[in-house]
Every structure is written in structure tokens, then in C-alpha cells.
Amino acid sequence: MSISQREFEGRYVAIRELMKEEELDCLIVVGLSDDFNRGNIRYITGSGNGGCCILPLEGAPVFLARPYQKTSPKLRRTVGAIDLLDLRETSDPAGQAAKELSRFYRGNKVGVVGMTCISVPMYSVLAEKFHDRLVDSVGIFDRLRGIKSAEEIEKTRIAAAIADKVYILLRKIIRPGLSEYEIYGAVKKAIYEMGCEYSFDLIDAAGAMMNMSFVPTVDRLESRGTLFFEITPAYEGYYAQLPVTLPVDEYPPHVRKMVNTWAQSDKAALKILRPGTRASDVYHLLVNTVRENGFISPFEVGHDLGLDAHGSLYINESSDTILETGMIIAVHASVMQEIGGDGCGMGYTYLITANGVERLSKIDLAKELIGNER
């Protein structure tokens, strides 16, 4: 079941309260149909295909659609909040957006959510019309989307369960000679068959390396090598992540040590993943644990996720964000000897709860892959 109408209505109320605080007459929300820029537009429309929506302080949000889309039966299946929206067909989205915003403008400010997604023609038209009254308001959505509702948590649980099933599939099919194309195809097929609209997946089947690629290449699995795969399905728009580094037959000794190191870092993080912890403290604990074992952790160690595969929270050395109940984060320290070389990348999707943390995956990677060596 998709997000309820009541949930969408609650979002509108919460957004409008923050709009009043920031003296905004209206918002224009713009998104793209990719894994990192669809979340804001889907948050208020239910559309995972990007688009443009104008949200006034009062009245129905105005969602712009291409010509001849209004009567399409597909629209109801792909725009979850369709019954709450004022749908306007247009072949001139820039001009139509300016027209709709002008209806709600009262001389205060016009907020843009999705400044990096808005087209140059649309921004030019709006900047000419509203001048310095046009402001970046993405912070409103960052604040609200960071804490997940019960409905959102349930969608993420289902996505995590799907990721677990993909992990089991990978363990079954992994063998020397299997190509990245075959692996990627099997994963995508399984994810779609389990009801996901899309997924974000990284892969590296070359040797025991961890040089992540967004698309499959000609590389094939090798004996005593590994398969790195970041499994990230989205169920009803909500992503869950399960990065894994799997042995083709058995881990080489130096990679096994990396996997042990990752397990130690994850175990250490569990002790502080709770409300009140600063995100930078999580970063330092993960990276220091890796360094103490003689390795480096050069890639991002974690972030939040939801309607985007990566939200606005970066778990890095300078993040002063405090973890709160209801946040959903991916924690995945990388372990390498050198950048571009062999490595291990694994992790989980975690829900921050009132009492600490809950791992949404039911797979115990350390127990399955290295047993009692930790």
C-alpha cells in the first residue's frame, strides 16, 4: 500500500508551518528522476519521476504535467497524492510555473526546493520575476524528511527485507567467471519482481578490489576474489541499503583481515548509535577502528536515506548533526590498504530508536561470512 492521503496532508501542514516562520508565500519544488534528486518532489506528490510542484500557503498544491497526461490511467498509479493535487498540463513549464507562483505571491518570499534540479530557463524566468525574493528553502524539507513517520519506517523495513533476499540470491549464484552483466541483471530482475520501482546498485567483480561502478562492465568474478555489491532497493520510493563484499570461494588472507576489521568497526558503532550522538563522533569511531587495524577508510562511512538513496546528512568528520529518534541511516565503513586496491565495503541500514538503534536487515554479515573469528 502506498503512502496514505492522511500522511500527505500532514506533510502539507508541517511544511506550511515552516513556510510561515520563514515568511514564504509559496514554494516551488523541483525534482529529477534519479536516485539522489527525486525525494523532495515525491515527498509532496508521490511521484518518483521528478517534476515540478507549487505549494501555496493555502489550497491544493499545483503539479505540472506534460500535455495529454491528465487522462492517463498511469498517472494515478505513479503519482500517489493525485487526489490532493491541482494538475496543470503544460508544454511550457517555466512560464506555467511563473504564472502559478504569481497567483500566490503576496510580496514576501518565494522558496525554491531543488535548486540544483531546476532548469536554467525556469530559474531565469523566476529570477527575473521575483528578483531577491526568490530564495533557497531546501532546509524546510531537510528538517522534516530527516525524521521518518511510522508509514515511512514500514516501507523501509520492506526495502531492507528485499535487500536481504538479494543478498541470499548473490550467495547462491556467485562463482568464478560470472560477469558483472549477469550479476547486475539477476539483481535487477529480482528487485523488480519483488515490487520495487527502482534501485541504486554499485558493483565491482574485478579481483578483490572495491572500485565502485554505477553500471556493469566486462569484469568477471575470479577465484579467491570478491564481489562488492551495494544493494539498495527502493520500495514505494523508500530506499534501504545493504553493501556487501562476498568471497567468490574464499577470502584471501588480507581481505579476510579487512572483513574482520569492518566487523569490529560496526560493533563499535552500535555502542553509540542512539539519540543524542553527534554524527561526527560516529565517523571518528568508525575510521579510528579501521586505522588501528592498519587500514584506511577513504570513502564516506554513512549517511541518511529515505526517498533518496542519499539524504542531506553526511556522517563525516565535521558533521554536527545530532542523531534523533526516527532517523534512518546507512553505516558502511570501507576498509582498504590503498585507494584503488583491494578492499572491503559492508554495512547496514539502521533505525535510530528511543532506546538506541535497530538494524533493519536480518542478515548478520559477520556471522555468515567470517563466523567466530571476530
Side-chain angles (χ1 to χ4, degrees), residues 224-226 245-247 249-253 255-256 259 346 369-370:
R224 294 183 63 78
T226 62
T245 299
L246 305 178
D249 33 39
E250 60 179 339
Y251 289 122
V255 176
R256 181 172 289 276
V259 177
M346 295 202 282
L369 297 172
I370 54 176

Side-chain angles (χ1 to χ4, degrees), residues 78-126:
T78 57
V79 182
I82 188 68
D83 292 328
L84 302 175
L85 304 174
D86 179 2
L87 192 66
R88 300 294 176 94
E89 293 181 341
T90 179
S91 56
D92 177 20
Q96 189 69 32
K99 178 180 177 181
E100 300 298 338
L101 287 168
S102 296
R103 289 200 295 127
F104 305 115
Y105 183 57
R106 299 294 180 267
N108 293 305
K109 292 182 286 187
V110 174
V112 179
V113 177
M115 193 69 82
T116 59
C117 302
I118 194 168
S119 68
V120 171
M122 181 177 287
Y123 183 80
S124 298
V125 169
L126 300 185

Side-chain angles (χ1 to χ4, degrees), residues 269-345:
L270 283 174
K271 296 177 181 178
I272 66 168
L273 287 175
R274 66 174 76 93
T277 296
R278 193 178 301 274
S280 58
D281 290 340
V282 178
Y283 168 86
H284 288 297
L285 182 58
L286 290 166
V287 172
N288 288 340
T289 302
V290 172
R291 287 173 178 167
E292 288 166 3
N293 282 272
F295 298 108
I296 61 172
S297 187
F299 301 128
E300 187 178 16
V301 301
H303 53 85
D304 68 332
L305 70 171
L307 287 171
D308 290 307
H310 193 313
S312 60
L313 170 62
Y314 291 77
I315 299 178
N316 56 32
E317 59 185 338
S318 60
S319 176
D320 59 2
T321 299
I322 303 298
L323 300 184
E324 298 180 54
T325 301
M327 285 184 169
I328 293 180
I329 58 175
V331 177
H332 45 59
S334 59
V335 183
M336 305 181 75
Q337 291 178 322
E338 59 182 3
I339 296 175
D342 292 350
C344 164

Side-chain angles (χ1 to χ4, degrees), residues 31-49:
L32 305 175
S33 58
D34 66 54
D35 296 292
F36 303 100
N37 294 289
R38 57 165 50 104
N40 288 327
I41 191 70
R42 184 153 192 167
Y43 189 69
I44 60 170
T45 68
S47 170
N49 297 316

Side-chain angles (χ1 to χ4, degrees), residues 122-179:
M122 181 177 287
Y123 183 80
S124 298
V125 169
L126 300 185
E128 183 177 354
K129 189 169 189 63
F130 298 108
H131 305 287
D132 62 351
R133 310 310 289 166
L134 190 69
V135 297
D136 189 344
S137 297
V138 71
I140 289 177
F141 277 55
D142 289 345
R143 288 170 63 183
L144 296 175
R145 289 181 55 202
I147 307 300
K148 303 300 188 288
S149 69
E151 288 190 31
E152 292 177 301
I153 291 170
E154 180 58 26
K155 304 301 182 192
T156 312
R157 287 188 192 281
I158 296 172
I162 291 170
D164 285 352
K165 292 177 181 177
V166 172
Y167 163 83
I168 294 169
L169 168 68
L170 289 173
R171 294 299 304 274
K172 288 180 179 178
I173 67 173
I174 193 169
R175 57 175 171 77
L178 198 64
S179 73

Side-chain angles (χ1 to χ4, degrees), residues 218-235:
V218 296
D219 289 329
R220 293 178 178 272
L221 295 176
E222 303 170 23
S223 180
R224 294 183 63 78
T226 62
L227 168 64
F228 170 77
F229 206 103
E230 190 167 274
I231 310 164
T232 315
Y235 182 79

